[in-house]
C-alpha cells in the first residue's frame, strides 16, 4: 500500500470529519459513516468518494479496518498523530504556557 | 395500485421464518409450498393487513455478489419503522441479535442496524417527534 503522510491525510475537511465520527464511535461501516457525515456535517459526498477518503486515512495509519461478520468496519488510530506533538512539542516555559492555557483547547489546536 | 408485497432474499427460508417470527415478532401470513421452495410472507403484528414481507430464496446467482457487496459496506437494503429504537435494540440484543450499528441519533431520526442471520443487514428507524 502507498504510504500517505499524516499532514496530507488531515488536510481535508471531510477526512477530519470522518476521524471525528470514528472517535465518537469506533467500529463503523462505510454506510454508518456516510449517514453521519451527511446528517451531522452536511457532507453529501458519494459512498465511493468517502471510500477513497478512508483509503487515504488508512494509508496514513490513521484508521484500521477489520472484518466483523461479513461487514468491513473502521477504527480510529491516533498513534501517528503523536509525531506532530513530538516534532513541535508544547512549550513547558511558564510564561508561554500561561498564555496557551488561557486559549481554548490547546491539544485540539495542535492535533488539527 | 397498492404496494402490498416487498421481498427480502434469505439464505434459508425456514431459518428466516423462525428469525422473522420468533425473534423479530412478525406474524406468518402465507406459507405455500412451491416445490423446492415456498412462498412465505410475514406481516407486522401492529398492522396485519399491511404490507407483506416475502421471504424469498436467495438462489439466483446475481443475488450472491449483490448482497455480499451491500453487507461488506454495512448497507441495510431493508428498513423497518419502530417506535423506540433504544428499546428494540435492548430487546433484540437480549435475544442474541448482533448489531452492526447501535442506536445512533442522526438528527431527525434514530437508527440502528442488525444482522438478520440470513445474509442481510436490517435498519430500524425511529422518527423523532418534530419540535
Amino acid at each position: 500500500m502507498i504510504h500517505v503522510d499524516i499532514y496530507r491525510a488531515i488536510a481535508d475537511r471531510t477526512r477530519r470529519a470522518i476521524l471525528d465520527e470514528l472517535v465518537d464511535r469506533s467500529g463503523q461501516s462505510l454506510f454508518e459513516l456516510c449517514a453521519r457525515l451527511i446528517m451531522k456535517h452536511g457532507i453529501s459526498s458519494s459512498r465511493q468518494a468517502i471510500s477513497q477518503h478512508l483509503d487515504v486515512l488508512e494509508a496514513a495509519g490513521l484508521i484500521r479496518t477489520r472484518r466483523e461478520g461479513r461487514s468491513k468496519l473502521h477504527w480510529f488510530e491516533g498513534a501517528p498523530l503523536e509525531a506532530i506533538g513530538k516534532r513541535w512539542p508544547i512549550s513547558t516555559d511558564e510564561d508561554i504556557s500561561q498564555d496557551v492555557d488561557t486559549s481554548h483547547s490547546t491539544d485540539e489546536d495542535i492535533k488539527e | 395500485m397498492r404496494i402490498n408485497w416487498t421481498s427480502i432474499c434469505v439464505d434459508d427460508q425456514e431459518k428466516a421464518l423462525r428469525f422473522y417470527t420468533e425473534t423479530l415478532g412478525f406474524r406468518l401470513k402465507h406459507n405455500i409450498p412451491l416445490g423446492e421452495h415456498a412462498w412465505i410472507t410475514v406481516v407486522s403484528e401492529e398492522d396485519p393487513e399491511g404490507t407483506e414481507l416475502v421471504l424469498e430464496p436467495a438462489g439466483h446467482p446475481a443475488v450472491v455478489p449483490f448482497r455480499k457487496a451491500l453487507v461488506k459496506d454495512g448497507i441495510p437494503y431493508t428498513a423497518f419503522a419502530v417506535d423506540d429504537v433504544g428499546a428494540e435494540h435492548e430487546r433484540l440484543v437480549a435475544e442474541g441479535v448482533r448489531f452492526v450499528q447501535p442506536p445512533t441519533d442522526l438528527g431527525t431520526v434514530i437508527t440502528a442496524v442488525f444482522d438478520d442471520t440470513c445474509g442481510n443487514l436490517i435498519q430500524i428507524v425511529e422518527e423523532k417527534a418534530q419540535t
Side-chain angles (χ1 to χ4, degrees):
Chain A
M1 187 188 280
I2 302 160
H3 179 73
V4 173
D5 79 44
I6 50 171
Y7 306 104
R8 194 196 135 203
I10 60 176
D12 179 276
R13 187 176 80 93
T14 301
R15 289 202 285 274
R16 290 196 296 273
I18 289 171
L19 296 182
D20 289 340
E21 291 307 317
L22 289 177
V23 168
D24 189 50
R25 194 180 92 75
S26 296
Q28 292 185 47
S29 69
L30 177 61
F31 171 82
E32 179 176 354
L33 272 169
C34 289
R36 283 166 171 255
L37 290 172
I38 191 162
M39 300 300 278
K40 295 171 73 177
H41 300 264
I43 297 170
S44 57
S45 307
S46 68
R47 273 194 194 109
Q48 202 176 9
I50 299 304
S51 185
Q52 285 168 0
H53 282 308
L54 288 169
D55 288 344
V56 172
L57 289 167
E58 190 173 14
L62 289 169
I63 61 169
R64 287 179 290 117
T65 63
R66 198 171 74 207
R67 286 268 179 158
E68 204 158 283
R70 299 182 202 175
S71 302
K72 184 183 179 187
L73 304 182
H74 305 77
W75 277 262
F76 171 64
E77 178 58 63
L81 295 175
E82 285 176 10
I84 298 176
K86 281 185 181 150
R87 184 164 165 185
W88 295 292
I90 300 169
S91 174
T92 50
D93 183 293
E94 278 194 13
D95 293 339
I96 297 173
S97 62
Q98 272 178 0
D99 287 345
V100 171
D101 285 343
T102 57
S103 72
H104 54 88
S105 62
T106 55
D107 287 359
E108 287 298 315
D109 287 347
I110 283 163
K111 278 179 186 164
E112 278 266 303
Chain B
M1 207 179 285
R2 291 174 297 128
I3 300 173
N4 204 51
W5 295 276
T6 185
S7 300
I8 187 163
C9 290
V10 295
D11 295 335
D12 176 325
Q13 285 189 298
E14 284 306 315
K15 183 183 172 191
L17 180 57
R18 285 196 301 277
F19 182 84
Y20 279 80
T21 54
E22 293 166 19
T23 305
L24 295 188
F26 291 138
R27 184 195 297 178
L28 175 67
K29 184 134 182 183
H30 293 108
N31 190 351
I32 301 167
L34 293 170
E36 191 188 343
H37 299 297
W39 193 69
I40 302 175
T41 76
V42 296
V43 290
S44 167
E45 287 285 0
E46 296 165 41
D47 188 16
E49 299 308 313
T51 304
E52 297 174 43
L53 182 68
V54 184
L55 304 178
E56 196 85 47
H60 193 282
V63 170
V64 178
F66 173 70
R67 291 202 306 165
K68 206 173 162 186
L70 291 178
V71 173
K72 174 175 170 273
D73 285 340
I75 300 172
Y77 200 64
T78 301
F80 301 133
V82 298
D83 293 331
D84 184 338
V85 165
E88 284 292 345
H89 172 257
E90 206 169 300
R91 179 180 78 85
L92 293 174
V93 165
E95 295 272 351
V97 174
R98 188 177 72 85
F99 274 76
V100 176
Q101 179 202 309
T104 306
D105 191 328
L106 294 174
T108 55
V109 290
I110 300 172
T111 69
V113 179
F114 64 82
D115 182 337
D116 79 346
T117 72
C118 306
N120 306 290
L121 297 178
I122 306 290
Q123 180 165 247
I124 47 175
V125 181
E126 169 189 342
E127 289 189 79
K128 284 162 77 177
Q130 299 297 317
T131 48

